[in-house]
Amino acid sequence: MSEKHATTAPGLDGYFKISERGSTVGREVRGGVVTFFTMAYIVVLNPLILGYAVDADGKFLGGGSEPNIAAIAAGTALVAGVMSILMGAVANFPLAIASGLGLNAFLAFSVATQMTWADAMGLVVIEGVVILVLVLTGFREAVFHAVPKQLKVAISVGIGLFIALIGFVDAGFVQRIPDVANTSVPVQLGQTGQLDGWPVLVFALGLLLLVALWVRKVPGAILITIVATTVLAIVVEAIGKFGADSPTGWMLTVPSFPDEWSGPDFGTLGEFNLLGGFDRAGVVVALLFVFTLLLADFFDTLGTMTAVGAEAGLLDEDAMPPNTQKILVVDSIAAAAGGLGGVSSNTSYIESASGVGEGARTGLASVVTGLCFLLTIFIAPVVAVIPSEAAVPALVLVGFLMMQQVTDIDWTDLEIALPAFLTIVLMPFTYSISVGIGAGFLTYVLLKVVLGKASQVGPILWVVAGLFVLYFAINPLTDLLT
């Protein structure tokens, strides 16, 4: 049924169009909880990335002389909760929001090293406001319309491979080769080329359980797997005491209950200086930082909402999700909210596809995910019990589901096949959605020019291609101007 037709269903069903999209309240709740579990790691990981980095004054985030991990965790959960609820309530789309991985690392290790943390967060706020303006003027959506449909499919497939790789890496199933002589292999199976240690075996067992439940079409397969694998992980840790310090230990979170509970600390909220970065690092450098954050946010969200919409079967004939404008507005506000909360730019999460895989089709799932994040403010020790080894099998499965769209690309048409190929492979190979999208766009425009078909490239794609040229050259330009 078209989104344009009003529904007569009452209450939650009517507001979120649950029946209209072929779902149920139970599926939405279950999908929202599953999305939360696959994203909950950010409450632990964001503080680890931001909390131990120091700014140009040698201060930790929050201005203290020691890391304030608890405050960053609470702020991360608060902003993610509020913005995910806003996405569900306003845009009615099963897309959850939290601090963006990659963006937080760029902020910690590139931006904050040249200014204070407050200055860096001020640039994040500016970036979010700029993106919001681009959305409200229609430019961001116009860019999305200008992208060829098969290139959008390639973006979805590439993201599928990317999140599958994230799952394998976060579980320790795939690891970097240690720095040793006479090796040219960048990654391998486990720490030594074999499945060493019980934590990675817990992941493998969880993945096998999930696959078995999925092919049997067991309702709640993903949620059942996460809970069952977490219980197994707790038992394994209680017996083996593997910890996280050894090469064969847990990758991110040790699955054991904390000894004591503490209340929430919101020390990062409001820790931003809107224009301080321009004074500290200079106008040109600050603008380059804003541009880098903006471009990554800009295209990551376009790719993410397309992939989630495709998996949910919500895209129209132009491969656009319903309420695209509202989705982009909320996502833009989230970027600024991350800076206001002092926890880095917030953005839409591809892990939302795990909830879609569990049956979510409406914004009610995002509201549920947001409420779960708000609860973690007070019960963060319980969420921290779930190791990545127990949560990320869902990402591997969703990667498979998204990979199935690859048949919608015409691989005999080199004008689209080559850009699609680069888009797909560079996302996992470079660990970046934006790099894959940029390579695909630039190659598409280049091939049109080489074949004498430059007139088929619209003005928006020319502008985007030019921006991506700057994006890939950002570090040489920064080095030249500093």
Side-chain angles (χ1 to χ4, degrees):
M1 184 180 295
S2 171
E3 289 285 326
K4 295 180 181 179
H5 297 302
T7 180
T8 57
L12 282 177
D13 196 352
Y15 184 84
F16 289 106
K17 306 180 186 295
I18 297 173
S19 297
E20 185 175 330
R21 294 186 183 178
S23 184
T24 66
V25 172
R27 287 182 188 174
E28 297 302 311
V29 172
R30 191 168 65 231
V33 172
V34 166
T35 293
F36 166 73
F37 276 134
T38 57
M39 291 176 60
Y41 67 86
I42 194 62
V43 179
V44 177
L45 192 55
N46 198 44
L48 295 181
I49 294 173
L50 298 178
Y52 293 102
V54 295
D55 61 20
D57 292 341
K59 298 290 186 180
F60 291 95
L61 179 55
S65 57
E66 296 181 355
N68 194 347
I69 302 300
I72 302 173
T76 299
L78 176 63
V79 177
V82 172
M83 296 315 305
S84 294
I85 291 172
L86 192 63
M87 176 66 77
V90 174
N92 193 22
F93 195 67
L95 195 62
I97 292 175
S99 296
L101 285 174
L103 291 171
N104 54 7
F106 175 72
L107 195 71
F109 305 117
S110 295
V111 182
T113 56
Q114 299 193 40
M115 57 191 73
T116 68
W117 275 109
D119 296 337
M121 293 300 171
L123 296 185
V124 172
V125 175
I126 293 173
E127 173 247 336
V129 172
V130 172
I131 289 185
L132 179 60
V133 171
L134 294 178
V135 170
L136 295 177
T137 57
F139 180 76
R140 195 179 189 187
E141 191 170 352
V143 170
F144 197 53
H145 279 291
V147 180
K149 185 175 181 179
Q150 292 188 62
L151 207 52
K152 294 176 188 175
V153 172
I155 292 171
S156 296
V157 174
I159 290 176
L161 291 180
F162 177 55
I163 64 172
L165 179 60
I166 290 175
F168 285 120
V169 170
D170 285 354
F173 193 89
V174 172
Q175 294 192 31
R176 281 190 191 90
I177 299 290
D179 293 331
V180 296
N182 301 320
T183 179
S184 59
V185 180
V187 293
Q188 65 182 5
L189 174 65
Q191 183 71 20
T192 63
Q194 297 179 326
L195 295 183
D196 291 340
W198 269 91
V200 70
L201 182 58
V202 167
F203 160 77
L205 293 174
L207 180 58
L208 292 175
L209 173 62
L210 177 56
V211 169
L213 294 176
W214 188 265
V215 298
R216 294 285 298 178
K217 302 185 185 302
V218 176
I222 296 176
L223 185 56
I224 291 172
T225 299
I226 293 174
V227 173
T229 311
T230 298
V231 171
L232 174 61
I234 292 173
V235 172
V236 166
E237 173 61 20
I239 296 174
K241 304 294 183 183
F242 298 103
D245 297 327
S246 69
T248 56
W250 303 96
M251 290 298 293
L252 298 176
T253 305
V254 177
S256 60
F257 290 100
D259 296 329
E260 59 182 31
W261 297 73
S262 59
D265 177 0
F266 297 112
T268 66
L269 300 188
E271 290 293 319
F272 71 95
N273 183 354
L274 198 60
L275 300 177
F278 292 87
D279 292 333
R280 189 66 182 266
V283 174
V284 174
V285 172
L287 286 176
L288 286 173
F289 283 147
V290 170
F291 175 76
T292 303
L293 290 167
L294 185 150
L295 206 59
D297 252 351
F298 193 102
F299 287 101
D300 274 8
T301 298
L302 292 180
T304 298
M305 76 175 187
T306 303
V308 172
E311 183 60 31
L314 295 176
L315 302 185
D316 60 20
E317 60 275 7
D318 296 321
M320 297 290 288
N323 302 323
T324 298
Q325 180 80 347
K326 292 180 179 179
I327 294 171
L328 296 177
V329 165
V330 174
D331 183 80
S332 303
I333 294 173
L340 294 172
V343 291
S344 183
S345 179
N346 272 230
T347 188
S348 301
Y349 260 56
I350 191 57
E351 283 87 342
S352 304
S354 62
V356 170
E358 196 59 52
R361 295 294 182 271
T362 76
L364 179 57
S366 297
V367 172
V368 171
T369 302
L371 291 174
C372 289
F373 269 117
L374 294 182
L375 286 175
T376 64
I377 295 173
F378 305 98
I379 59 171
V382 173
V383 176
V385 169
I386 303 171
S388 60
E389 288 84 354
V392 297
L395 300 187
V396 177
L397 176 66
V398 170
F400 157 73
L401 297 176
M402 296 171 67
M403 182 70 186
Q404 292 178 307
Q405 303 173 49
V406 76
T407 56
D408 293 333
I409 298 173
D410 183 2
W411 294 101
T412 63
D413 182 1
L414 295 182
E415 294 180 35
I416 193 66
L418 282 170
F421 169 74
L422 290 175
T423 298
I424 291 171
V425 300
L426 284 178
M427 285 189 194
F429 288 172
T430 64
Y431 225 65
S432 169
I433 293 175
S434 295
V435 167
I437 295 175
F441 279 20
L442 287 175
T443 307
Y444 178 80
V445 172
L446 174 64
L447 292 182
K448 290 297 185 183
V449 172
V450 169
L451 295 172
K453 300 179 180 180
S455 60
Q456 296 181 9
V457 180
I460 289 180
L461 278 184
W462 281 113
V463 172
V464 171
L467 291 175
F468 268 117
V469 170
L470 291 176
Y471 175 73
F472 287 118
I474 196 74
N475 283 335
L477 285 175
T478 303
D479 293 340
L480 183 64
L481 296 171
T482 55

